[in-house]
Amino acid sequence: MADDRGSWLIECNECDEHFVVDLSNPEESDTGQCNVLKRFDNELEPYDGNVPRAQEIAAHNLNMNGQNLRFDFTRHPIYRCQMNGMDLEQSSLRALEAGYESIHQQLGQAVNRFLATHMPDVEHAVVTVPVECACGHDHQALFYAPFRLDGSSLPAPHDMLLAEISGTDLTDILTGIFTKTYLMEALEKLIARWRLFSDQILIAAPFVAHQYKSKSERLQIWERLLSQLDARRTAFLTRSASYSEYKAALLDSGLEHALLEGYGLENQIVSAGTKKQDFHAKVYAGIGDRCEVLSGSANLVEGKSMENAAFGVSQRQRFDTKYLDPLSVALPPSPPRARHHVSIAPAQEGWRWTVADGAAPSLPQFARSAS
């Protein structure tokens, strides 16, 4: 490709003012989030207007908002058979792997159809997998992955996220006394669940890590958590000191938060986060018409010491009254969700894909703990 020089005429996304940026390959370069009004080639049609030219340009390979979703099938299961307590997570993964050749084929067919013709907007592909159990009843496991039309590789089985298994009771499994490590790993699995089923996620804890962690250890905890959350759909509440500790740890790693913020490169969850001093509650929730809440004594840090926790489900109005109002948290409007999802499930003639209503399959409206 020729290394052409040129410029873009850009309209600012915040103030609507116009400015010009000089760059190589103005026709081929990806615009990202820029609102490019016109492209200019210096040899064919150089820009000769009088709007300001950008004087500062940040050249970087940072991605402070990258997503690294995971589901660890080898540790601390939260999906257990309600009748016999059997771990269903690993058996669900084995069932997914057993049928994955056909599932992969159906997913590929769905991608091709969406590329070839007009189809509804979807965000996720959801796979329903029957799971055998010693209790004598088949469970249904729901796996999902982003439904991408950008030419990226289809996910491998271990890359798919487990969001639900029927015949399990999270209210029972996640209520009691547990180690910090168990609850943090459970929270990761709940975040994977909530990213499919919930409109928004609330992370509210006064402390992230603790005073005995080094700056690098604190930064690892922050980055591991932030990499699982969608900035558009996450409300983060903690004390000012926790945000200051994150920024200090970031600076110690060689990155200055204020400099990143000046170029819009900072982590968007941190920059939009809410500060609150007078609280000691720890509340983690998936929010929608149906709200799921994990609460207790555990801050955002792993460890061997024991913490208490409780899991419950309620209506949105009750959740607002019991949790958001006392914390004085006002959630921003949730971005619209896709009205459909791609569903892949076994049928009489084998695995088949369809377009199903809703951003995700429906869960039972309220668990027995709801009031």
Side-chain angles (χ1 to χ4, degrees), residues 123-150:
E123 185 177 358
H124 293 117
V126 181
V127 181
T128 303
V129 181
V131 183
E132 294 181 355
C133 178
C135 72
H137 300 278
D138 278 350
H139 300 268
Q140 301 292 320
L142 294 182
F143 290 87
Y144 77 98
F147 186 73
R148 296 194 174 104
L149 302 175
D150 58 2

Side-chain angles (χ1 to χ4, degrees), residues 4-21:
D4 300 325
R5 293 295 300 174
S7 56
W8 285 347
L9 177 62
I10 298 175
E11 182 177 85
C12 177
N13 292 327
E14 295 190 8
C15 70
D16 298 328
E17 293 292 327
H18 295 176
F19 62 97
V20 168
V21 170

Side-chain angles (χ1 to χ4, degrees), residues 226-360:
L226 294 174
S227 70
Q228 300 170 66
L229 296 166
D230 182 347
R232 302 170 303 156
R233 301 184 183 277
T234 299
F236 202 100
L237 177 69
T238 190
R239 294 186 178 183
S240 299
S242 293
Y243 287 120
S244 297
E245 289 170 356
Y246 166 77
K247 294 172 185 178
L250 194 65
L251 182 61
D252 203 55
S253 74
L255 297 173
E256 183 180 355
H257 185 269
L259 179 63
L260 296 175
E261 195 171 31
Y263 289 100
L265 300 175
E266 81 283 9
N267 183 274
Q268 298 300 311
I269 294 174
V270 173
S271 64
T274 302
K275 303 179 180 69
K276 185 174 178 62
Q277 295 302 109
D278 57 339
F279 86 111
H280 206 263
K282 295 86 176 178
V283 179
Y284 314 108
I287 303 168
D289 293 337
R290 167 195 170 102
C291 297
E292 297 185 347
V293 186
L294 178 69
S295 60
S297 62
N299 283 301
L300 295 165
V301 64
E302 294 184 346
K304 297 180 180 180
S305 61
M306 309 303 287
E307 305 284 351
N308 67 286
F311 184 88
V313 182
S314 70
Q315 298 176 340
R316 175 60 190 268
Q317 183 176 0
R318 181 174 177 82
F319 173 79
D320 289 356
T321 301
K322 292 293 186 178
Y323 293 96
L324 297 185
D325 293 347
L327 288 172
S328 300
V329 174
L331 296 179
S334 175
R337 302 192 72 196
R339 295 183 179 182
H340 300 84
H341 64 280
V342 169
S343 174
I344 301 175
Q348 287 185 348
E349 64 277 17
W351 293 88
R352 289 292 180 267
W353 75 271
T354 58
V355 177
D357 291 338

Side-chain angles (χ1 to χ4, degrees), residues 97-299:
E97 291 171 336
Y100 205 70
E101 182 177 353
S102 296
I103 293 169
H104 188 276
Q105 183 182 53
Q106 289 296 305
L107 184 55
Q109 290 181 12
V111 169
N112 290 337
R113 176 70 65 83
F114 272 73
L115 290 172
T117 186
H118 178 73
M119 299 290 284
D121 288 337
V122 302
E123 185 177 358
H124 293 117
V126 181
V127 181
T128 303
V129 181
V131 183
E132 294 181 355
C133 178
C135 72
H137 300 278
D138 278 350
H139 300 268
Q140 301 292 320
L142 294 182
F143 290 87
Y144 77 98
F147 186 73
R148 296 194 174 104
L149 302 175
D150 58 2
S152 56
S153 299
L154 299 179
H158 60 270
D159 292 328
M160 300 200 74
L161 300 171
L162 179 60
E164 165 69 345
I165 303 178
S166 65
T168 62
D169 185 358
L170 293 180
T171 303
D172 178 59
I173 292 297
L174 295 177
T175 298
I177 304 295
F178 311 94
T179 66
K180 286 183 170 69
T181 296
Y182 177 89
L183 290 174
M184 289 304 96
E185 292 180 356
L187 177 59
E188 288 187 356
K189 295 183 176 184
L190 288 174
I191 289 173
R193 173 186 178 89
W194 295 337
R195 287 190 60 141
L196 178 65
F197 293 118
S198 302
D199 297 332
Q200 293 173 293
I201 293 175
L202 171 67
I203 303 293
F207 306 109
V208 181
H210 53 61
Q211 67 269 28
Y212 301 112
K213 295 288 186 182
S214 66
K215 287 183 179 179
S216 62
E217 289 173 328
R218 291 180 184 178
L219 187 59
Q220 288 176 7
I221 293 170
W222 272 99
E223 290 180 339
R224 179 171 177 172
L225 176 63
L226 294 174
S227 70
Q228 300 170 66
L229 296 166
D230 182 347
R232 302 170 303 156
R233 301 184 183 277
T234 299
F236 202 100
L237 177 69
T238 190
R239 294 186 178 183
S240 299
S242 293
Y243 287 120
S244 297
E245 289 170 356
Y246 166 77
K247 294 172 185 178
L250 194 65
L251 182 61
D252 203 55
S253 74
L255 297 173
E256 183 180 355
H257 185 269
L259 179 63
L260 296 175
E261 195 171 31
Y263 289 100
L265 300 175
E266 81 283 9
N267 183 274
Q268 298 300 311
I269 294 174
V270 173
S271 64
T274 302
K275 303 179 180 69
K276 185 174 178 62
Q277 295 302 109
D278 57 339
F279 86 111
H280 206 263
K282 295 86 176 178
V283 179
Y284 314 108
I287 303 168
D289 293 337
R290 167 195 170 102
C291 297
E292 297 185 347
V293 186
L294 178 69
S295 60
S297 62
N299 283 301

